[in-house]
Structure formats: structure tokens, C-alpha cells
Amino acid sequence: MTSRTPSAAKPRAVLATLLVQSNTVVSTHTLIDELWGAGPPRTATTTLQVYVSQLRKALLEDTGESATETGTVQPLLTRPPGYLMRVAPEELDLAVFESLRAEGRAAYGRHEYEAASQALSRALGLWTGSALSGIPHGPSLETSAIRLNELRAEVLEQRISADLRLGLHQELVGELMALAHEHPLRETLHCHLMVALYRSGRQSDALRVYHQARRSLVDELGVEPGPVLSRLQERILASDPSLTWHAEPERRLVPVGGSDDRPADGSTGGSRNGFAGHGRDAGPPVWLPPAVAEFTGREDQLAFGERLLAGDPPGRNKVLVLSGRAGAGKTALAVRLAHDANALFPDGRVLVTLRDADGRAVEPRTAMATLLRRLRGPQTTGADSGAEPLPSSETELAELLHRRTEGRKMLVILDDAVSEAQVRPVLSAVPDSTVILTSRQVLGALESVRHLTLDVLSTREAEALLTACGGRRMRDDPEAVGEIVRFCGRLPLALRVAAAGLTARPHWTAAGLAQRLRDERTRLTALTLGDLDVRRTLLTAYHDVDEEARRAFRILALAALPDFAPWSGTALLATDPVEAERLTEELVQAHLLETRRRPGRLAPVRYRFHPLLRSLALEVLAQESPQEGPEAVERLCRAFLILARHADAQLAPGRERLTYEAEPLPAISPEEAVGNAPLRWFQEESAGLSEAVRQAHAAGLWSLCCSLASATAGYYEAGALWDEWQATHDLALDAARQSGDVHAEAVILRSLGDLAWQRHQTSLAIERYRLAWRLFTRHGDRVAAGRCLSAEADALLAMGQVARAGRAYARALSVSRLVSDARSTADSLRGLALVAQREGRHEDALARLEECESAARSAGDHRWTEYARRTASALRMALATGQSAAASSIPLEVRPGVWLFHPSQPAQRAA
């Protein structure tokens, strides 16, 4: 997948279906059938439109610029009766594959086997796994996957045939053995393997392959080998001379990967590594710690550093700043670069640490004095060395250091710098030296330097490091390795401590270590071994910033996972947006917080914590300012509620929502955060909303929990997010009952009834609607009680009980007119129109729809007004074409955007 590929399964299935049938219109019904089969949800059409909208946005998310600015044309088009994905042949791997396949087949037919092998190999190189793997298959994609996998196998077999004709039989044996084992019933592969073995002088092995293939065919399918495979066995037994490959003119084969002229062990000459002292003839000063064992990954960063160290003339100041969070491996990378660059710096390589044993920053003059002593070398230390004492002032130290390094090819590592002010005097004193500077801060104010930021390792690199350091027990349990990598957040220091902890305890298992790391509250404690302490390392970075930033670090850890928008920081910190941005950016500069660029989003920059830093922040919050936690959580949940209500009012105007009385948050502006894009806001904040409901419930904020869940129901219904709907409303129902809030319990129960109806659990839906009706009636809310009657009628209609549904709609209409609720009146009239349509009373249905449209207009509800007009138009069209019988059984749009795809047969008219 690319960065633009949707992560959710169903949007991926839509994208795959459109790409497999690119430049062809794919109907809406085909896509719905692909996604849901015979049981689509009632919101299938609306949900499909949401998926298409998400895909269109993702397809234009290349650079964060608008399509107009970049000249990008939207490739996903609406074309009746569905959608068309417009793709140029060179943009789609499938089209390139088929083109290369045709090219290879044509070359093979012309006996141009070299060209055929190259084209077919390029075609196979486009594959990364089975066709459409990782995507749920409906009927269309399943057929496509079978076809494509068969085409791939055909291309592979023809490429092998071309290679055999080129005399590459010995090179093919290993590959063919693996393929024959993977595909024991493909006789062509067994034929190719037998020929390759026979031509390699292994006649007996070739015959053994035949017998293994025959056994597989007989055992699996109960059939004997086909005539081609059987005839080949006979020819091998007879040592048929035509099977022998006749050598062509000599060809030079270029090995894959190549090699260079360096020694196999990677050495570059003599070494003077380590802190150990040298004799009087030791040569230039080398004061470096040993290179880290099992150094893993960082290939790109190593290459960048090597280019900088080797590229510029020695007379020019070269400074590389390696920045990154604590534990990212900055010092390890700097030392590795220094060891590998010994030939480039014949006058010495020296590391100086810029913190003392307690983690405090050393003064610039102390750093320069240390550097001067190390440049003297061990031969000039001691009481009888005769060395002159070093000056005490910073200016004199700088002058002396300048004289000692002038014109010399030296590498200086200034490790763990705290600020620009600390390193500027040292850098000024060594203008002819190359300097690698490591820091947890970005140090962006330094002039004429190159910056390289170290992030965490990739998943592949992290797993490789863990298994290299953890030994056999790690290698034998890849599932536990994956968990440990995730819990450590791919931070090199944490991975090394975890591996060392396992190695030091022979009675532990990798799975047991993963279990100990699973609890976020005790994770940092588990990542401690002797003087290896991840918590202590991270705390040093925490103490580097001022108290104001430390408070922000603690409180922002309460933000919803996985990341948060700037407005969340504003709410949590109880400040204005400008000040909140200043504090969050200060934490970013200190690598205590991360940014995620999201071009084209409502919040184009979002923030998140590394998991171990979040654990630390929650720890210090509980230790240093526990009283701030509950208040910050309430502010965050209130901000979510304000914005969710604003978005929901645009998405589903007129929908019933719980009220929540609290002081406003003037710094939170719904117009700025949501604007006129309610669906986009919900999509971007969906995970945070669910987390906010859980936080409110955990904090005992019962009313806030109920109101938050209520504000999300419209989005969950529109997006068919059944699991999120269920999880948040289960918590809200418990919250309502904990607080004894009868009205909130009724609202949540009615919403859960809607969810059950969407999931085709009609009996459960009716049960919840009736319980909600009783609670609303007890509470005196006749409007909401009447809406429960309409909802129950919808469930009855879905069950085919049209007459009972009609009576329920009629009761609901009486209640809504009695309380003068235009919105409920429109809802009830809509239901009566559907009943009339099902019973074949089309004129009555049209009359009811006209009344529904009028009531919706009175309520100011544009969405329902358009729904009534749209439904009436569809019915009139069916009647105008003489399809009166069909008009009674066409799919029903029972509510705006909610469809009943398998309605009951036309019912008898209600008595």
C-alpha cells in the first residue's frame, strides 16, 4: 500500500474493484454487491458515497496543494449508473503487467529468449504477493484474483522456459524446487524442474521429482500425470539426446546486487578505536567509545553522514547536527560514522560529552578544556608529562583550541548538546574541523550546519535489532517480537533494554516479556535493567524544558489517541490557540511531541506522543500535578461535544440530541474547526470521539458521556460504523443508569434501537424502541415518545408487517400533531406514504408525500424536504411508465439516505 491507500477494508475493496475494471463504468449495484453481498445495510448507497468521497480526497492528496494548483485531475468520476476510475496505462501496475506479458510472449514466439526473459521478469517484478491480498473479496474481486494469479503463474512458467532455452538450468534448480514444493499439482513446473536437473547431470533427482509429482496427483486428485509429464519421464529414462542443452556463444552473466572492491569484513585499514590509552607511538588522538554491537538499519542516515564527511574540502567548516528524541540512537550513529571514517581524519577523532554525570549541561569552557586534554593524548598526561596547564578563561581556551586544530583533518563529536548557546563557542574554536553534534533539541538557530533528524526505526529494522540482541528466544517467537516492537514504539534504546532483559533472565520467554510490556502503567518499569533505564533517559529530556513546557507535556498526554488537532491542545491547556501552539511547538522542538502533516485536512498538522513518552507523561502527571487531570479531561470532552454538536447539526438537522449545561469554551470555535465540512470533521476525529466517550465514562462524567455519545450517532449511522456506535452507546447507557438520568437513558436506548434496526435485528430494535417509549412517557417527553412509535413502525415495515406498521405510524402522527411537532409530523407522514405504496395505494402515497414535504418545509429541514420530493418523483416516474405493480416493490428509501433493499412483497391493504 502507498501512503494514499485507505486503511479501512471496505474503501480498499471499492478502490480495488474500480482499478481492476479501470476506464470502465462499474455500477453502484455491483459495488454494493461486492461490499455486502446479499445482506447490504440500509445505508448502503449513502455509505458507498462516503467511501467514494474518501477515495477522491485520498487520490488528490499527493502534495497538499489543491488540484487546481497542481493541475491534478480527479480520476474517480461519477458516470451513470455508477463510477469510473480513469487511469492511464502507465499508471496502473496491472496494465503494465499485461503489456509486459504480451511483449514477453511475442518475443518468445520469435525465439528471442533473452528479450522474453527480461520482459517477463519485469512483469513478475511488479508483484508483491497474491493478487488483491489484504482486501476482502466479493464475487467480482474473487473472480479477478483467480484470473490474475493464474496469469502470474503462466508468466512465471514461460519465463522459466525462456531461461532454460538460454542455458540457465543450474541457476534455476533452487527456484524450481521451491516452486514445485509450493505448487505440487502444477505439472508444468515439475517438467521444468526435471529438465533443469537432467541438464545439470542429476538424472536420478529428475526421476525422483517425477515420482513425487505422481504421488501428489494420485493422493490429491486420484489421477495419473498427464501425457507431457509422463513422456518427459520416458525421455529421461532413455537419455534422450534432444533434452541436452546445446551451448550458444558465451554470454557474460551479471550477478544481482554486484559488489565493490572493499574487503569482505568492511575494514578500512588500521584501527585505533576505544577509550584505551595508546603508547607514545600511538599516533593521532582517537578518543571514541566502541561502536555499538548489532548496529541495525539507518542505511539512509549513514549514507547522508558519509557523504557530508567525505564531500567537502577540509578547509571548510562542516557541521552535522543529529537531533532526535532521547533513546533514538544519535550517539550510536555518530560513533559509527566516526569509526567508519578513520581514513578521512588522519589527525584524530575525538568525542566530548556535553553533560555531566547528573545530566546537567557543562559550560562551554569545560567542554573546550576536555577536548584539549583529549587532543594531547595519554602520552602528555600525568604528573611527569611536562604538559603546560590549560588556561582558565573561555577566551584563552578557545584561542588555544583554535591553534591546536588549525589546518588539521580532525573529526570532533560534541555529544548530547543542550542548546545553541552551549555549542557556539566550541564550534567557533574549531573552524577547520568536521563536527558531528548530537542533541535532543533541533538547534535550528545554528548557522551553516546540516540537520539530520533521527526518528524511530522502521518496523523491519526494529524487529531485526530485537532478534539480533535477544538471541534464539526472540528469533523463535516472531509474534512476540512484533508485540514488543509495538510496545517499545520502535525506539532503539527501549528495544535494546528489552532484549537485554530477556537475555539476562534465562527463565523468561519472549511472550512473557511482551505480556509484561502490555500494561502502559508498568511498561517503563519493565524497561529497566541495571544502569539501563529508559525512564531515566526520557526524564532527562523532560527536565531539559522549562516548567511551562513540562506542564503542557503532562496535560497533553490526556489527549485522545492516536493523535490530536491543535484545538484539543487549546482545550486541554485552558489557553488561547496562539499560546497553545507555542507550547506544543516547543515540545516538538524538544522531541517530546511529534507532528503529523495531513495536507488537505481540516487540521493540516496534528500532534501525537511516542507511546513511551506518553507513558512517562501520565506518570509525572500523577506524581506532580494529579489535581489537573480531571479538569483537563472535562475540558477536552466539552470541546469534543461542542464541535460534534455543531457538525451533527449540519449533517443531520433536526435530529434529537441530549443537552449538556456547562460553561462555554470561548477559545474553541466550531466555525473554524468544523466549518462547512461536518462529514470530514467526523471522519478525522472519529477515533478521538470514541476515546473521549471512554475518558468521560472513566472519569465519572456521566452527563457528558451521554451527550457525547448522542452527538455521534448521526455520523455513525451515515458511515455504517456499527462497532463504534455500539461501543460508545453501551458506555453511555451505563452512564445514564449510573446517574439515574431517565431522559438520557431513553435517548440512548432509542439510538441503540436504530442501531439494531440497521443491523437487521428487528426484534431487538422493537424491544429497545418500546422501552425508550415508556421512559420518554414517564419523563413527560411526548415528542420523543411519538418518534419512538415511528421508529418501531419502521422495524415492523422491515419485517413485512405492513398493516401493523400503518397503525403505528398513524398513532405517531396523532401524537406529533397534538404537540405541534412539524419534524415528527413529517416523519409519520413519510411512514404512512411508504405503507400506502406497499399496499398499492399510489395516489394516497403521493398525497402523504406532499404533506410530508410541506411539514418538513415548516420545520425548516431541507434534508427531509428533498427526501419527500425525491421519493414522490421516483414513484410518479414508475407510475408514468406503466409499472404500477413494480412501484409497490421497488427498493424503499425509508429515511433520507437509508434504504430497505429487500422489502416485503406487496401487502394487502390494511383494514
Side-chain angles (χ1 to χ4, degrees):
M1 295 195 306
T2 70
S3 60
R4 293 186 292 161
T5 305
S7 57
K10 291 196 184 301
R12 287 208 313 275
V14 174
L15 179 60
T17 305
L18 293 169
L19 287 174
V20 168
Q21 302 181 56
S22 60
N23 302 312
T24 303
V25 175
V26 182
S27 71
T28 300
H29 291 300
T30 297
L31 290 168
I32 289 174
D33 193 40
E34 185 67 25
L35 294 176
W36 293 287
R42 306 182 199 282
T43 55
T45 300
T46 303
T47 304
L48 176 60
Q49 292 170 352
V50 171
Y51 294 157
V52 170
S53 175
Q54 293 173 354
L55 290 175
R56 283 175 169 156
K57 181 180 175 185
L59 289 168
L60 292 181
E61 236 175 38
D62 253 2
T63 62
E65 299 174 69
S66 69
T68 303
E69 293 169 341
T70 60
T72 305
V73 177
Q74 173 60 251
L76 179 48
L77 308 175
T78 300
R79 291 287 186 270
Y83 303 94
L84 179 144
M85 180 69 80
R86 184 170 53 195
V87 183
E90 68 275 10
E91 294 177 328
L92 185 64
D93 282 353
L94 174 56
V96 176
F97 169 79
E98 291 178 336
S99 174
L100 289 169
R101 170 176 169 265
E103 180 184 333
R105 286 171 63 87
Y108 191 96
R110 297 191 301 270
H111 307 293
E112 297 172 359
Y113 301 120
E114 183 79 36
S117 176
Q118 291 177 1
L120 297 172
S121 295
R122 285 163 56 203
L124 293 168
L126 296 169
W127 289 73
T128 58
S130 298
L132 304 173
S133 59
I135 298 172
H137 292 180
S140 175
L141 288 181
E142 182 65 27
T143 301
S144 297
I146 293 171
R147 180 181 71 86
L148 291 173
N149 283 325
E150 184 59 32
L151 284 178
R152 180 190 188 187
E154 172 202 308
V155 168
L156 177 63
E157 290 170 351
Q158 190 164 36
R159 192 225 82 207
I160 291 171
S161 178
D163 287 345
L164 283 172
R165 291 180 178 275
L166 292 169
L168 302 178
H169 36 270
Q170 290 184 330
E171 293 88 340
L172 287 169
V173 168
E175 178 185 7
L176 282 167
M177 283 184 170
L179 289 169
H181 177 76
E182 185 180 354
H183 306 284
L185 304 181
R186 290 195 75 94
E187 294 187 37
T188 303
L189 290 174
H190 290 287
C191 286
H192 288 332
L193 177 56
M194 290 167 67
V195 170
L197 288 168
Y198 180 80
R199 290 180 177 175
S200 300
R202 299 168 61 180
Q203 183 177 20
S204 59
D205 288 337
L207 293 171
R208 189 176 297 112
V209 169
Y210 170 82
H211 290 296
Q212 290 171 345
R214 179 182 179 276
R215 190 180 306 115
S216 296
L217 290 165
V218 171
D219 292 346
E220 294 284 335
L221 304 177
V223 298
E224 291 290 334
V228 175
L229 186 58
S230 298
R231 176 62 184 147
L232 179 59
Q233 182 220 17
E234 295 170 2
R235 294 172 66 192
I236 291 174
L237 284 170
S239 299
D240 186 344
S242 64
L243 286 176
T244 304
W245 182 71
H246 300 286
E248 296 178 8
E250 182 179 346
R251 297 172 298 111
R252 180 177 181 272
L253 299 179
V254 180
V256 177
S259 63
D260 55 30
D261 297 326
R262 291 176 295 180
D265 62 359
S267 65
T268 55
S271 174
R272 296 188 180 91
N273 300 336
F275 287 127
H278 310 296
R280 293 185 181 276
D281 58 347
V286 176
W287 198 286
L288 297 173
V292 173
E294 294 92 21
F295 187 93
T296 303
R298 305 296 195 199
E299 288 88 356
D300 292 342
Q301 293 87 347
L302 279 169
F304 180 90
E306 288 167 357
R307 287 195 301 271
L308 184 136
L309 296 185
D312 290 339
R316 181 179 172 188
N317 187 18
K318 299 187 289 288
V319 181
L320 172 63
V321 178
L322 297 178
S323 62
R325 66 173 57 84
K330 302 178 293 296
T331 303
L333 178 63
V335 171
R336 171 65 181 270
L337 285 168
H339 280 296
D340 289 348
N342 62 334
L344 296 174
F345 301 101
D347 295 324
R349 292 163 291 143
V350 177
L351 179 144
V352 175
T353 301
L354 299 183
R355 292 180 189 262
D356 61 19
D358 295 323
R360 293 187 295 265
V362 301
E363 295 293 328
R365 60 193 177 96
T366 303
M368 287 189 281
T370 302
L371 180 54
L372 281 165
R373 282 192 291 270
R374 292 181 179 177
L375 289 176
R376 285 176 172 177
Q379 67 272 26
T380 57
T381 60
D384 59 347
S385 65
E388 296 180 6
L390 294 175
S392 58
S393 76
E394 182 176 310
T395 301
E396 291 176 318
L397 283 167
E399 291 175 354
L400 179 58
L401 185 57
H402 187 283
R403 289 197 302 271
R404 292 283 175 86
T405 59
E406 187 175 9
R408 300 175 67 184
K409 296 181 180 179
M410 296 192 61
L411 175 63
V412 177
I413 299 176
L414 301 178
D415 188 40
D416 212 359
V418 175
S419 66
E420 294 92 341
Q422 183 192 31
V423 298
R424 273 201 181 97
V426 186
L427 293 177
S428 299
V430 291
D432 290 347
S433 298
T434 297
V435 179
I436 299 178
L437 204 160
T438 74
S439 177
R440 295 163 193 169
Q441 304 281 342
V442 175
L443 303 184
L446 290 178
E447 303 85 4
S448 303
V449 303
R450 300 290 296 277
H451 288 275
L452 180 59
T453 302
L454 290 194
D455 202 347
V456 295
L457 298 172
S458 69
T459 300
R460 179 185 60 80
E461 291 172 337
E463 291 176 349
L465 175 61
L466 196 59
T467 52
C469 297
R472 180 181 55 79
R473 281 174 290 166
M474 284 291 190
R475 291 193 294 273
D476 291 347
D477 195 343
E479 183 177 349
V481 166
E483 282 192 282
I484 295 169
V485 164
R486 187 170 71 255
F487 295 143
C488 291
R490 295 178 280 136
L491 188 69
L493 174 63
L495 294 168
R496 288 184 179 277
V497 174
L502 183 65
T503 303
R505 301 175 177 94
H507 56 289
W508 278 20
T509 64
L513 175 59
Q515 179 65 36
R516 288 173 173 85
L517 295 172
R518 192 164 287 129
D519 189 343
E520 185 181 37
R521 295 167 299 179
T522 60
R523 189 173 299 161
L524 290 173
T525 301
L527 291 172
T528 303
L529 181 68
D531 64 346
L532 293 174
D533 189 341
V534 174
R535 178 191 283 107
R536 186 174 62 197
T537 301
L538 299 180
L539 273 172
T540 305
Y542 169 71
H543 288 300
D544 277 348
V545 297
D546 60 29
E547 173 52 36
E548 198 175 23
R550 289 200 293 271
R551 176 183 176 273
F553 175 74
R554 297 191 299 267
I555 293 178
L556 289 175
L558 298 169
L561 297 172
D563 55 27
F564 60 94
W567 61 261
S568 291
T570 300
L572 283 166
L573 298 174
T575 186
D576 60 81
V578 174
E579 178 65 8
E581 182 182 31
R582 184 188 70 80
L583 289 168
T584 50
E585 287 299 323
E586 184 175 342
L587 294 175
V588 170
Q589 292 295 304
H591 291 286
L592 290 169
L593 199 61
E594 302 174 10
T595 58
R596 296 183 67 191
R597 292 188 67 252
R598 312 289 290 193
R601 300 294 180 91
L602 292 173
V605 175
R606 298 180 70 88
Y607 300 96
R608 66 178 177 183
F609 277 91
H610 184 276
L612 295 180
L613 283 168
R614 183 173 185 271
S615 297
L616 177 71
L618 293 173
E619 274 190 12
V620 292
L621 175 65
Q623 294 165 1
E624 298 180 15
S625 54
Q627 73 285 352
E628 291 189 290
E631 296 174 358
V633 167
E634 183 176 9
R635 287 194 301 272
L636 176 65
C637 292
R638 280 165 51 201
F640 265 113
L641 179 59
I642 290 168
L643 299 180
R645 278 181 172 168
H646 181 82
D648 191 44
Q650 296 182 63
L651 193 65
R655 198 178 66 80
E656 182 178 19
R657 303 174 195 87
L658 284 170
T659 59
Y660 180 78
E661 299 299 331
E663 293 182 12
L665 295 172
I668 303 300
S669 169
E671 289 74 19
E672 291 183 10
V674 179
N676 295 318
L679 183 59
R680 283 177 58 197
W681 184 85
F682 271 119
Q683 290 167 347
E684 293 176 20
E685 302 294 346
S686 179
L689 276 166
S690 298
E691 178 69 15
V693 172
R694 284 190 287 271
Q695 285 182 304
H697 184 271
L701 302 170
W702 307 129
S703 179
L704 192 49
C705 177
C706 295
S707 297
L708 262 174
S710 173
T712 63
Y715 167 64
Y716 290 151
E717 182 174 29
L721 301 172
W722 311 145
D723 293 340
E724 292 87 341
W725 192 349
Q726 186 77 58
T728 55
H729 281 58
D730 283 347
L731 291 173
L733 184 61
D734 179 71
R737 288 170 174 169
Q738 291 274 7
S739 62
D741 189 335
V742 174
H743 182 258
E745 182 181 357
V747 171
I748 298 300
L749 275 170
R750 187 189 168 202
S751 183
L752 285 169
D754 291 340
L755 172 60
W757 182 73
Q758 290 280 9
R759 284 178 155 173
H760 304 278
Q761 299 168 339
T762 46
S763 297
L764 178 61
I766 290 173
E767 176 186 328
R768 285 173 170 170
Y769 288 142
R770 288 176 177 171
L771 180 54
W773 177 84
R774 286 196 292 272
L775 292 174
F776 279 130
T777 301
R778 187 198 313 171
H779 189 261
D781 190 342
R782 299 177 68 183
V783 172
R787 292 183 180 182
C788 288
L789 293 174
S790 286
E792 179 183 343
D794 285 342
L796 292 169
L797 186 65
M799 296 171 69
Q801 299 182 26
V802 181
R804 289 183 63 195
R807 290 192 289 273
Y809 285 130
R811 287 177 60 202
L813 180 60
S814 298
V815 172
S816 64
R817 284 176 169 167
L818 187 64
V819 297
S820 302
D821 179 17
R823 171 67 174 72
S824 296
T825 299
D827 192 7
S828 304
L829 288 166
R830 175 267 320 175
L832 289 170
L834 297 178
V835 169
Q837 180 182 350
R838 276 289 165 260
E839 293 176 341
R841 297 181 288 110
H842 303 309
E843 294 303 324
D844 287 349
L846 290 171
R848 291 296 191 183
L849 287 171
E850 288 180 4
E851 292 181 77
C852 174
E853 180 182 346
S854 176
R857 191 179 297 107
S858 298
D861 195 324
H862 176 74
R863 184 163 165 260
W864 274 79
T865 302
E866 289 302 312
Y867 160 77
R869 185 179 300 142
R870 181 170 63 247
T871 305
S873 177
L875 180 56
R876 289 192 187 97
M877 185 176 295
L879 295 173
T881 55
Q883 300 176 352
S884 57
S888 300
S889 57
I890 59 175
L892 291 177
E893 187 180 2
V894 291
R895 299 175 190 167
V898 180
W899 291 79
L900 182 60
F901 272 88
H902 300 287
S904 61
Q905 294 299 315
Q908 297 297 318
R909 182 169 180 169

